[in-house]
Amino acid sequence: NIPWLQDAEATERRLWPGSPSSPGSPSAEKSNESRFSVNLREVLDISRSSFAVSKGDGTDTLFKANVVAGGILALTEVDGKDPDILLRAGSGQKRMLTIMEGNGSYFGKIEIADSRGMVLYHMQKPCATITADVKDLSMQVYPLSADAKFLRAASMIKKGERLRIQVSKNFDASLLLGCLLGIVILEPDLMKRACHH
C-alpha cells in the first residue's frame, strides 16, 4: 500500500471509465452523459472575466467559469467556494494547456500531438486524444486505453449561439468540460493546429 500510488490510481479512476460522475454534474445514473451549454458570445468576449455553464438545455447554472489574469480559467461548482479545476495557458513559444486540481496541484497537460490532434496527459502519461474542427467549433475526446478505444469520452459543438458539451457517463465531467473550454478560451491556436483538413 503506497499512498501516492493509491492517490494516482484514484485520480485515474476519476478520469476514466468506472469512476462515478463528478460532483455538480447532472446525474449520470439517469443518462449516458452529462450535458452542458455555454453562451458562445460570453465565452469569446475577451472583456468578460466570467460566464455561466448551464445544463445542456440552457436552464440551471451548474458551474461558474472565471478567467483571471495570467491566462487561468477556474471552473467552480455554482454553490462551491473553491475551484474544481484550473487551466493555465502556455507561456513563451510552447502552445499547451496546463491542468491543475482546484487546490493548484498539477494534474496534467494538453498539447499538440506529433500527428494530427492534441493529446491529454495525466501527469506525464498520455491518456486521450482530442480532435478538432475550427469551422464548426467542434472537438472530440477519445481515451487511449485499449478497453475504451472506440468510446468517445466527450464532445463539443457549436449550436446556434451556444456551445454544447457532452461528457460520457463514467468520465470526469468537470475535468473534460474544463479542458474543452480551456482550449477555446486560453489556447485557441491548439484547436487550429490540431484540425484534420
Side-chain angles (χ1 to χ4, degrees):
N1 286 339
I2 305 167
W4 65 265
L5 181 58
Q6 290 172 334
D7 291 344
E9 289 170 352
T11 302
E12 286 283 327
R13 283 193 303 275
R14 196 185 94 191
L15 177 60
W16 303 121
S19 65
S21 64
S22 66
S25 66
S27 173
E29 283 82 38
K30 296 178 184 168
S31 161
N32 285 335
E33 60 196 7
S34 297
R35 296 180 181 193
F36 305 97
S37 174
V38 294
N39 182 307
L40 185 58
R41 287 185 188 170
E42 291 178 5
V43 168
L44 298 179
D45 182 353
I46 59 170
S47 66
R48 279 186 85 94
S49 61
S50 65
F51 59 92
V53 178
S54 306
K55 281 185 178 176
D57 59 9
T59 57
D60 302 335
T61 299
L62 298 173
F63 291 96
K64 298 174 284 189
N66 294 301
V67 181
V68 297
I72 296 176
L73 171 65
L75 195 62
T76 308
E77 284 184 58
V78 73
D79 296 328
K81 191 177 94 174
D82 298 319
D84 289 62
I85 188 154
L86 300 164
L87 297 109
R88 185 178 67 220
S91 58
Q93 296 293 325
K94 185 85 168 161
R95 300 295 10 128
M96 62 179 277
L97 202 56
T98 301
I99 307 161
M100 297 168 285
E101 299 278 350
N103 63 9
S105 62
Y106 181 79
F107 179 88
K109 65 184 177 180
I110 297 172
E111 62 183 16
I112 292 292
D114 290 336
S115 58
R116 296 196 197 304
M118 295 168 266
V119 176
L120 168 62
Y121 291 83
H122 173 240
M123 297 302 179
Q124 299 303 318
K125 178 183 172 194
C127 54
T129 59
I130 304 171
T131 60
D133 189 339
V134 173
K135 76 175 183 286
D136 62 4
L137 266 179
S138 69
M139 284 189 270
Q140 315 286 322
V141 181
Y142 296 96
L144 291 174
S145 65
D147 57 337
K149 199 173 209 167
F150 301 104
L151 175 71
R152 185 175 66 198
S155 65
M156 180 185 78
I157 193 160
K158 178 183 173 245
K159 294 266 188 175
E161 293 296 314
R162 301 197 72 79
L163 277 180
R164 306 246 184 218
I165 296 117
Q166 297 173 299
V167 180
S168 297
K169 183 178 178 176
N170 297 329
F171 290 88
D172 186 323
S174 60
L175 172 69
L176 294 174
L177 169 68
C179 288
L180 295 175
L181 290 175
I183 292 167
V184 172
I185 297 165
L186 301 174
E187 289 290 357
D189 280 352
L190 282 178
M191 191 173 181
K192 290 175 191 164
R193 291 175 53 200
C195 282
H196 39 82
H197 302 289

Short mmCIF file of all heavy atoms in Angstrom, two decimals, residues 118-166:
data_model
loop_
_atom_site.label_atom_id
_atom_site.label_comp_id
_atom_site.label_asym_id
_atom_site.label_seq_id
_atom_site.Cartn_x
_atom_site.Cartn_y
_atom_site.Cartn_z
N MET A 118 -4.64 16.71 -30.63
CA MET A 118 -4.00 17.06 -29.37
C MET A 118 -3.97 15.83 -28.49
O MET A 118 -4.73 14.89 -28.71
CB MET A 118 -4.81 18.16 -28.65
CG MET A 118 -4.87 19.48 -29.39
SD MET A 118 -6.11 20.59 -28.69
CE MET A 118 -7.52 20.21 -29.72
N VAL A 119 -3.11 15.86 -27.47
CA VAL A 119 -3.04 14.76 -26.51
C VAL A 119 -3.28 15.32 -25.12
O VAL A 119 -2.70 16.35 -24.75
CB VAL A 119 -1.67 14.04 -26.57
CG1 VAL A 119 -1.57 12.97 -25.50
CG2 VAL A 119 -1.44 13.44 -27.94
N LEU A 120 -4.13 14.64 -24.36
CA LEU A 120 -4.38 14.96 -22.96
C LEU A 120 -3.52 14.01 -22.13
O LEU A 120 -3.56 12.79 -22.33
CB LEU A 120 -5.86 14.75 -22.63
CG LEU A 120 -6.28 14.77 -21.16
CD1 LEU A 120 -5.97 16.11 -20.51
CD2 LEU A 120 -7.76 14.43 -21.03
N TYR A 121 -2.72 14.58 -21.24
CA TYR A 121 -1.84 13.80 -20.38
C TYR A 121 -2.34 13.87 -18.95
O TYR A 121 -2.74 14.94 -18.49
CB TYR A 121 -0.41 14.38 -20.39
CG TYR A 121 0.33 14.22 -21.67
CD1 TYR A 121 0.13 15.13 -22.71
CD2 TYR A 121 1.23 13.19 -21.85
CE1 TYR A 121 0.84 15.00 -23.91
CE2 TYR A 121 1.94 13.06 -23.05
CZ TYR A 121 1.73 13.96 -24.07
OH TYR A 121 2.43 13.84 -25.24
N HIS A 122 -2.27 12.74 -18.24
CA HIS A 122 -2.42 12.74 -16.78
C HIS A 122 -1.01 12.56 -16.26
O HIS A 122 -0.36 11.55 -16.56
CB HIS A 122 -3.33 11.62 -16.29
CG HIS A 122 -3.34 11.53 -14.80
ND1 HIS A 122 -2.93 10.41 -14.13
CD2 HIS A 122 -3.66 12.43 -13.86
CE1 HIS A 122 -3.02 10.61 -12.84
NE2 HIS A 122 -3.46 11.85 -12.65
N MET A 123 -0.53 13.54 -15.51
CA MET A 123 0.88 13.62 -15.14
C MET A 123 1.67 13.60 -16.45
O MET A 123 1.45 14.45 -17.26
CB MET A 123 1.29 12.52 -14.15
CG MET A 123 0.56 12.62 -12.83
SD MET A 123 0.89 14.24 -12.09
CE MET A 123 -0.08 14.11 -10.63
N GLN A 124 2.52 12.65 -16.68
CA GLN A 124 3.29 12.61 -17.94
C GLN A 124 2.82 11.48 -18.86
O GLN A 124 3.47 11.17 -19.85
CB GLN A 124 4.79 12.47 -17.65
CG GLN A 124 5.35 13.62 -16.84
CD GLN A 124 5.13 14.98 -17.51
OE1 GLN A 124 5.28 15.13 -18.72
NE2 GLN A 124 4.75 15.97 -16.71
N LYS A 125 1.69 10.86 -18.52
CA LYS A 125 1.20 9.71 -19.28
C LYS A 125 0.07 10.13 -20.23
O LYS A 125 -0.95 10.65 -19.79
CB LYS A 125 0.68 8.66 -18.29
CG LYS A 125 0.10 7.44 -18.94
CD LYS A 125 -0.45 6.50 -17.90
CE LYS A 125 -1.20 5.36 -18.54
NZ LYS A 125 -2.00 4.63 -17.57
N PRO A 126 0.25 9.91 -21.55
CA PRO A 126 -0.83 10.22 -22.48
C PRO A 126 -2.05 9.35 -22.17
O PRO A 126 -1.91 8.15 -21.97
CB PRO A 126 -0.26 9.87 -23.86
CG PRO A 126 1.15 9.48 -23.65
CD PRO A 126 1.40 9.32 -22.20
N CYS A 127 -3.23 9.97 -22.11
CA CYS A 127 -4.41 9.17 -21.77
C CYS A 127 -5.59 9.42 -22.71
O CYS A 127 -6.55 8.66 -22.66
CB CYS A 127 -4.80 9.37 -20.32
SG CYS A 127 -5.05 11.06 -19.85
N ALA A 128 -5.53 10.45 -23.56
CA ALA A 128 -6.63 10.68 -24.50
C ALA A 128 -6.14 11.53 -25.66
O ALA A 128 -5.17 12.27 -25.54
CB ALA A 128 -7.79 11.38 -23.81
N THR A 129 -6.83 11.38 -26.80
CA THR A 129 -6.58 12.25 -27.93
C THR A 129 -7.77 13.18 -28.08
O THR A 129 -8.90 12.83 -27.72
CB THR A 129 -6.37 11.48 -29.24
OG1 THR A 129 -7.54 10.70 -29.50
CG2 THR A 129 -5.16 10.58 -29.17
N ILE A 130 -7.51 14.37 -28.62
CA ILE A 130 -8.56 15.35 -28.85
C ILE A 130 -8.45 15.78 -30.31
O ILE A 130 -7.39 16.24 -30.74
CB ILE A 130 -8.42 16.58 -27.93
CG1 ILE A 130 -8.41 16.15 -26.46
CG2 ILE A 130 -9.55 17.59 -28.20
CD1 ILE A 130 -8.07 17.25 -25.48
N THR A 131 -9.52 15.60 -31.06
CA THR A 131 -9.56 16.06 -32.45
C THR A 131 -10.41 17.32 -32.50
O THR A 131 -11.26 17.54 -31.63
CB THR A 131 -10.14 14.98 -33.39
OG1 THR A 131 -11.46 14.66 -32.97
CG2 THR A 131 -9.27 13.73 -33.37
N ALA A 132 -10.19 18.15 -33.52
CA ALA A 132 -10.88 19.43 -33.59
C ALA A 132 -11.23 19.79 -35.02
O ALA A 132 -10.58 19.35 -35.97
CB ALA A 132 -9.99 20.51 -32.99
N ASP A 133 -12.26 20.61 -35.15
CA ASP A 133 -12.65 21.21 -36.42
C ASP A 133 -13.04 22.65 -36.12
O ASP A 133 -14.05 22.90 -35.44
CB ASP A 133 -13.81 20.44 -37.05
CG ASP A 133 -14.11 20.90 -38.46
OD1 ASP A 133 -13.72 22.03 -38.83
OD2 ASP A 133 -14.73 20.13 -39.22
N VAL A 134 -12.23 23.59 -36.57
CA VAL A 134 -12.43 25.01 -36.24
C VAL A 134 -13.71 25.56 -36.85
O VAL A 134 -14.41 26.35 -36.23
CB VAL A 134 -11.22 25.86 -36.67
CG1 VAL A 134 -11.48 27.34 -36.50
CG2 VAL A 134 -9.99 25.46 -35.89
N LYS A 135 -14.06 25.13 -38.07
CA LYS A 135 -15.19 25.77 -38.75
C LYS A 135 -16.52 25.60 -38.01
O LYS A 135 -17.35 26.49 -38.03
CB LYS A 135 -15.28 25.34 -40.20
CG LYS A 135 -15.82 23.97 -40.47
CD LYS A 135 -15.95 23.75 -41.98
CE LYS A 135 -16.56 22.44 -42.31
NZ LYS A 135 -15.74 21.28 -42.14
N ASP A 136 -16.72 24.49 -37.31
CA ASP A 136 -17.95 24.36 -36.52
C ASP A 136 -17.66 24.33 -35.01
O ASP A 136 -18.51 23.96 -34.22
CB ASP A 136 -18.77 23.14 -36.95
CG ASP A 136 -18.05 21.82 -36.75
OD1 ASP A 136 -16.93 21.82 -36.21
OD2 ASP A 136 -18.62 20.79 -37.13
N LEU A 137 -16.45 24.76 -34.65
CA LEU A 137 -16.03 24.80 -33.24
C LEU A 137 -16.29 23.47 -32.54
O LEU A 137 -16.79 23.43 -31.42
CB LEU A 137 -16.74 25.92 -32.49
CG LEU A 137 -16.02 27.24 -32.40
CD1 LEU A 137 -16.87 28.27 -31.65
CD2 LEU A 137 -14.66 27.13 -31.76
N SER A 138 -15.95 22.37 -33.20
CA SER A 138 -16.20 21.06 -32.60
C SER A 138 -14.90 20.41 -32.15
O SER A 138 -13.85 20.64 -32.73
CB SER A 138 -16.94 20.15 -33.57
OG SER A 138 -16.11 19.79 -34.65
N MET A 139 -15.02 19.61 -31.08
CA MET A 139 -13.91 18.80 -30.60
C MET A 139 -14.46 17.48 -30.10
O MET A 139 -15.60 17.40 -29.65
CB MET A 139 -13.16 19.50 -29.45
CG MET A 139 -12.27 20.63 -29.92
SD MET A 139 -11.21 21.27 -28.59
CE MET A 139 -12.27 22.53 -27.93
N GLN A 140 -13.63 16.43 -30.18
CA GLN A 140 -13.97 15.10 -29.70
C GLN A 140 -12.81 14.60 -28.85
O GLN A 140 -11.65 14.78 -29.23
CB GLN A 140 -14.15 14.11 -30.86
CG GLN A 140 -14.96 14.61 -32.02
CD GLN A 140 -16.44 14.68 -31.73
OE1 GLN A 140 -16.97 13.80 -31.06
NE2 GLN A 140 -17.09 15.71 -32.21
N VAL A 141 -13.12 13.97 -27.72
CA VAL A 141 -12.09 13.40 -26.83
C VAL A 141 -12.25 11.89 -26.82
O VAL A 141 -13.34 11.38 -26.55
CB VAL A 141 -12.23 13.94 -25.38
CG1 VAL A 141 -11.14 13.35 -24.49
CG2 VAL A 141 -12.20 15.47 -25.36
N TYR A 142 -11.15 11.18 -27.13
CA TYR A 142 -11.17 9.72 -27.16
C TYR A 142 -10.08 9.18 -26.23
O TYR A 142 -8.92 9.55 -26.37
CB TYR A 142 -10.90 9.19 -28.58
CG TYR A 142 -11.97 9.56 -29.56
CD1 TYR A 142 -11.83 10.67 -30.38
CD2 TYR A 142 -13.13 8.80 -29.66
CE1 TYR A 142 -12.82 11.02 -31.28
CE2 TYR A 142 -14.13 9.14 -30.56
CZ TYR A 142 -13.97 10.26 -31.37
OH TYR A 142 -14.95 10.60 -32.26
N PRO A 143 -10.44 8.30 -25.28
CA PRO A 143 -9.42 7.71 -24.39
C PRO A 143 -8.46 6.82 -25.17
O PRO A 143 -8.83 6.26 -26.19
CB PRO A 143 -10.23 6.90 -23.39
CG PRO A 143 -11.61 6.84 -23.89
CD PRO A 143 -11.77 7.82 -25.01
N LEU A 144 -7.24 6.71 -24.68
CA LEU A 144 -6.23 5.86 -25.32
C LEU A 144 -6.22 4.44 -24.77
O LEU A 144 -5.57 3.58 -25.35
CB LEU A 144 -4.84 6.47 -25.15
CG LEU A 144 -4.59 7.75 -25.95
CD1 LEU A 144 -3.24 8.34 -25.59
CD2 LEU A 144 -4.71 7.50 -27.44
N SER A 145 -6.90 4.18 -23.66
CA SER A 145 -6.88 2.84 -23.08
C SER A 145 -7.52 1.85 -24.04
O SER A 145 -8.51 2.15 -24.71
CB SER A 145 -7.58 2.82 -21.73
OG SER A 145 -8.96 3.11 -21.89
N ALA A 146 -6.95 0.66 -24.11
CA ALA A 146 -7.39 -0.36 -25.06
C ALA A 146 -8.85 -0.76 -24.86
O ALA A 146 -9.58 -0.98 -25.82
CB ALA A 146 -6.50 -1.60 -24.95
N ASP A 147 -9.31 -0.81 -23.60
CA ASP A 147 -10.68 -1.24 -23.34
C ASP A 147 -11.70 -0.15 -23.66
O ASP A 147 -12.90 -0.41 -23.67
CB ASP A 147 -10.84 -1.73 -21.90
CG ASP A 147 -10.45 -0.68 -20.88
OD1 ASP A 147 -9.66 0.23 -21.22
OD2 ASP A 147 -10.92 -0.77 -19.73
N ALA A 148 -11.27 1.06 -23.92
CA ALA A 148 -12.20 2.14 -24.22
C ALA A 148 -11.87 2.81 -25.55
O ALA A 148 -12.27 3.93 -25.81
CB ALA A 148 -12.16 3.17 -23.09
N LYS A 149 -11.15 2.10 -26.41
CA LYS A 149 -10.60 2.68 -27.64
C LYS A 149 -11.64 3.37 -28.52
O LYS A 149 -11.38 4.41 -29.09
CB LYS A 149 -9.89 1.59 -28.42
CG LYS A 149 -8.91 2.13 -29.42
CD LYS A 149 -8.13 1.00 -30.03
CE LYS A 149 -6.77 1.49 -30.45
NZ LYS A 149 -5.86 0.45 -30.76
N PHE A 150 -12.82 2.79 -28.66
CA PHE A 150 -13.81 3.36 -29.57
C PHE A 150 -14.88 4.17 -28.84
O PHE A 150 -15.84 4.61 -29.44
CB PHE A 150 -14.45 2.23 -30.40
CG PHE A 150 -13.42 1.49 -31.20
CD1 PHE A 150 -12.99 0.24 -30.80
CD2 PHE A 150 -12.84 2.07 -32.31
CE1 PHE A 150 -12.02 -0.45 -31.53
CE2 PHE A 150 -11.87 1.39 -33.04
CZ PHE A 150 -11.46 0.13 -32.65
N LEU A 151 -14.68 4.37 -27.57
CA LEU A 151 -15.62 5.12 -26.76
C LEU A 151 -15.25 6.60 -26.80
O LEU A 151 -14.10 6.96 -26.60
CB LEU A 151 -15.54 4.62 -25.31
CG LEU A 151 -16.35 5.34 -24.26
CD1 LEU A 151 -17.83 5.05 -24.46
CD2 LEU A 151 -15.93 4.85 -22.88
N ARG A 152 -16.20 7.44 -27.10
CA ARG A 152 -15.95 8.88 -27.06
C ARG A 152 -16.20 9.36 -25.64
O ARG A 152 -17.27 9.18 -25.09
CB ARG A 152 -16.87 9.61 -28.04
CG ARG A 152 -16.55 11.09 -28.11
CD ARG A 152 -17.35 11.80 -29.16
NE ARG A 152 -18.74 11.78 -28.77
CZ ARG A 152 -19.75 12.00 -29.59
NH1 ARG A 152 -19.53 12.23 -30.85
NH2 ARG A 152 -20.98 11.98 -29.16
N ALA A 153 -15.20 9.98 -25.03
CA ALA A 153 -15.32 10.46 -23.66
C ALA A 153 -16.08 11.77 -23.58
O ALA A 153 -16.84 12.00 -22.64
CB ALA A 153 -13.94 10.62 -23.03
N ALA A 154 -15.87 12.65 -24.57
CA ALA A 154 -16.53 13.96 -24.54
C ALA A 154 -16.55 14.55 -25.94
O ALA A 154 -15.77 14.16 -26.82
CB ALA A 154 -15.80 14.89 -23.58
N SER A 155 -17.45 15.52 -26.12
CA SER A 155 -17.53 16.23 -27.39
C SER A 155 -18.04 17.64 -27.15
O SER A 155 -18.69 17.92 -26.14
CB SER A 155 -18.43 15.50 -28.38
OG SER A 155 -19.77 15.49 -27.90
N MET A 156 -17.73 18.51 -28.10
CA MET A 156 -18.22 19.88 -28.06
C MET A 156 -18.58 20.28 -29.48
O MET A 156 -17.88 19.93 -30.42
CB MET A 156 -17.14 20.82 -27.52
CG MET A 156 -17.60 22.27 -27.45
SD MET A 156 -16.26 23.38 -26.97
CE MET A 156 -15.38 23.51 -28.52
N ILE A 157 -19.68 21.03 -29.62
CA ILE A 157 -20.07 21.53 -30.93
C ILE A 157 -20.85 22.84 -30.75
O ILE A 157 -21.52 23.05 -29.74
CB ILE A 157 -20.90 20.49 -31.72
CG1 ILE A 157 -21.03 20.92 -33.17
CG2 ILE A 157 -22.25 20.25 -31.06
CD1 ILE A 157 -21.39 19.80 -34.13
N LYS A 158 -20.74 23.69 -31.75
CA LYS A 158 -21.49 24.96 -31.75
C LYS A 158 -22.88 24.69 -32.29
O LYS A 158 -23.03 24.08 -33.35
CB LYS A 158 -20.76 25.97 -32.63
CG LYS A 158 -21.47 27.30 -32.73
CD LYS A 158 -20.71 28.23 -33.68
CE LYS A 158 -21.50 29.46 -33.90
NZ LYS A 158 -21.96 29.64 -35.26
N LYS A 159 -23.90 25.12 -31.54
CA LYS A 159 -25.30 25.01 -31.98
C LYS A 159 -25.91 26.39 -31.82
O LYS A 159 -26.18 26.82 -30.69
CB LYS A 159 -26.08 24.01 -31.12
CG LYS A 159 -25.62 22.59 -31.24
CD LYS A 159 -26.41 21.87 -32.27
CE LYS A 159 -26.05 20.40 -32.23
NZ LYS A 159 -26.81 19.60 -33.08
N GLY A 160 -26.08 27.10 -32.92
CA GLY A 160 -26.62 28.46 -32.85
C GLY A 160 -25.68 29.36 -32.06
O GLY A 160 -24.50 29.45 -32.37
N GLU A 161 -26.20 29.99 -31.04
CA GLU A 161 -25.42 30.92 -30.20
C GLU A 161 -24.80 30.23 -28.99
O GLU A 161 -24.34 30.91 -28.07
CB GLU A 161 -26.31 32.08 -29.73
CG GLU A 161 -26.74 33.00 -30.85
CD GLU A 161 -25.57 33.72 -31.49
OE1 GLU A 161 -24.72 34.25 -30.75
OE2 GLU A 161 -25.49 33.74 -32.73
N ARG A 162 -24.84 28.90 -28.94
CA ARG A 162 -24.35 28.19 -27.76
C ARG A 162 -23.32 27.13 -28.14
O ARG A 162 -23.35 26.59 -29.24
CB ARG A 162 -25.52 27.54 -27.02
CG ARG A 162 -26.55 28.58 -26.57
CD ARG A 162 -27.49 28.09 -25.52
NE ARG A 162 -26.93 27.90 -24.20
CZ ARG A 162 -26.70 28.87 -23.32
NH1 ARG A 162 -26.92 30.12 -23.63
NH2 ARG A 162 -26.25 28.59 -22.12
N LEU A 163 -22.42 26.88 -27.20
CA LEU A 163 -21.51 25.74 -27.31
C LEU A 163 -22.13 24.64 -26.47
O LEU A 163 -22.47 24.85 -25.31
CB LEU A 163 -20.13 26.07 -26.75
CG LEU A 163 -19.16 26.80 -27.64
CD1 LEU A 163 -17.85 27.03 -26.90
CD2 LEU A 163 -18.90 26.05 -28.93
N ARG A 164 -22.27 23.47 -27.05
CA ARG A 164 -22.84 22.31 -26.33
C ARG A 164 -21.71 21.32 -26.06
O ARG A 164 -20.99 20.93 -26.98
CB ARG A 164 -23.93 21.65 -27.14
CG ARG A 164 -25.01 22.60 -27.58
CD ARG A 164 -26.28 22.27 -26.93
NE ARG A 164 -27.31 23.15 -27.46
CZ ARG A 164 -28.26 23.64 -26.73
NH1 ARG A 164 -28.34 23.34 -25.46
NH2 ARG A 164 -29.16 24.44 -27.23
N ILE A 165 -21.59 20.93 -24.80
CA ILE A 165 -20.54 19.99 -24.40
C ILE A 165 -21.21 18.78 -23.78
O ILE A 165 -22.09 18.92 -22.94
CB ILE A 165 -19.56 20.64 -23.41
CG1 ILE A 165 -18.83 21.80 -24.08
CG2 ILE A 165 -18.54 19.63 -22.89
CD1 ILE A 165 -19.09 23.12 -23.46
N GLN A 166 -20.79 17.59 -24.21
CA GLN A 166 -21.32 16.35 -23.66
C GLN A 166 -20.15 15.51 -23.15
O GLN A 166 -19.14 15.38 -23.84
CB GLN A 166 -22.08 15.56 -24.72
CG GLN A 166 -23.29 16.31 -25.23
CD GLN A 166 -23.95 15.59 -26.40
OE1 GLN A 166 -23.33 15.40 -27.44
NE2 GLN A 166 -25.20 15.21 -26.22
#
